Amino acid sequence: MYTCVVCGSTQPATAWRCSCGGPLEFTQQPAPSIETTPSLDHNAGLWAFENWLPVDCAVTLGEGFTPLVDAPDRDVSYKLEWLFPTGSFKDRGATATISHAVELGVDHVVEDSSGNAGKAIATYAAYAGLDAEIFVPADAKPGKVRAIERTGATITKIEGSRQAVTDACMAQLAEETDPETPTAWYASHAWNPAFFEGTATFAYELVAQRDWTAPDAVVTPLGHGTLFLGAYRGFARLSNWGLIDSIPRLYGVQATGVAPIVDARGGWIAGDGTNTVADGIQITEPVRADQIQTALDASGGEAVAIDEQRTQEAYDRLHRNGLFIEPTCAVAPAAVDVLREAGELDAGEDVVVALTGTDSNR
Ligand SMILES: [Zn+2]
């Protein structure tokens, strides 16, 4: 059962958004106790935190407990979130979401993404024996589309903008005549509540890897806020439970030219033009924008927009240091340099940067 974050009404587990249009969350929230504190079997991956997840593990590819390393090129720590079965942190959400689908008896999932989320959902669905239909832009990179096709998923190509792809996916869902027993279930990385419970394990893992201490600040790329909001949720819970002293300041990094969160709040902007190198976070209308703003305010962090040149430079430097990440996530380390120059991050502060996607399959 879910609760709407906008109007507070209760919705069935087959719903993907509220009848008011608002995004949903699981009604039942996890609670800590000595019995539920994870024993931290790292071999269990992120499912070491199963007691803090609202779904039982049904589909896992061994994801999670990504390395936390000292950065070779800056005075920060990197959490290597590209070291997942399908090459990005989206597997955190996919393992939780597809496990939830199995729990609900769903046999057909739909998603709209030409990138990491599409790959993750299609792969986990295939492994679980579910049919998957992935809506992608007609001009999506062929390598990414082929990676999705190899899972056996059905690809539906849509002409027009990225928003047109989401609209087409939603139009199919709107044709469902029986909301109690839908024939297609929206495994969306932007909407599905289970996806965000999965990405909350980023915070659990990070704090556990640091002997149950939080850093001063965490920097992540920011498109729909899939990782950013999950991380905030995880840190907020750990703080409420008294397992960490306070929530780290969260910095969400967007691409110049497509930075709706930065624009709305007057965040930091470094450079100009449209940053096409960071194509994976070019989201004009994040569906959980209000939640993102709340998380930025509550953590004391800020939104930042990074231009193409800074992204490309950070990307090249990471690759020279053996960090084979995709260009989009280079915005996060690039933002550290900008935030330090601006005095937003102090030199001695303990900062963790998420490197979120692999460079393969481009
Ligand atoms: Zn509502």
Side-chain angles (χ1 to χ4, degrees), residues 4 6-9 11 18-22:
C4 173
V6 175
C7 73
S9 72
Q11 300 289 325
C18 179
S19 45
C20 83

Side-chain angles (χ1 to χ4, degrees), residues 147-194:
I148 295 170
E149 268 170 347
R150 278 194 296 273
T151 69
T154 303
I155 304 271
T156 302
K157 291 187 176 171
I158 303 295
E159 297 285 346
S161 67
R162 179 65 185 80
Q163 187 60 42
V165 181
T166 299
D167 292 346
C169 186
M170 287 184 176
Q172 167 153 333
L173 289 160
E175 286 171 13
E176 293 288 345
T177 49
D178 182 0
E180 291 299 320
T181 52
T183 55
W185 190 75
Y186 198 16
S188 167
H189 62 291
W191 288 97
N192 198 294

Side-chain angles (χ1 to χ4, degrees), residues 108-260:
H108 180 190
V109 299
V110 297
E111 160 73 308
D112 54 290
S113 162
S114 61
N116 294 328
K119 259 192 326 193
I121 287 295
T123 302
Y124 279 79
Y127 192 67
L130 310 184
D131 291 334
E133 180 175 6
I134 311 294
F135 289 73
V136 305
D139 62 354
K141 290 195 174 83
K144 288 188 170 182
V145 175
R146 277 197 299 275
I148 295 170
E149 268 170 347
R150 278 194 296 273
T151 69
T154 303
I155 304 271
T156 302
K157 291 187 176 171
I158 303 295
E159 297 285 346
S161 67
R162 179 65 185 80
Q163 187 60 42
V165 181
T166 299
D167 292 346
C169 186
M170 287 184 176
Q172 167 153 333
L173 289 160
E175 286 171 13
E176 293 288 345
T177 49
D178 182 0
E180 291 299 320
T181 52
T183 55
W185 190 75
Y186 198 16
S188 167
H189 62 291
W191 288 97
N192 198 294
F195 214 105
F196 292 84
E197 294 295 334
T199 55
T201 61
F202 171 86
Y204 305 153
E205 265 180 36
L206 174 59
V207 168
Q209 286 170 314
R210 298 167 45 93
D211 198 20
W212 300 97
T213 62
D216 295 313
V218 172
V219 185
T220 73
L222 179 62
H224 268 303
T226 316
L227 181 61
F228 179 87
L229 284 175
Y232 172 68
R233 186 172 302 189
F235 288 125
R237 282 179 187 152
L238 294 169
S239 175
N240 287 339
W241 297 341
L243 292 174
I244 57 174
D245 293 335
S246 61
I247 301 171
R249 303 201 306 284
L250 299 184
Y251 293 91
V253 190
Q254 302 202 289
T256 52
V258 192

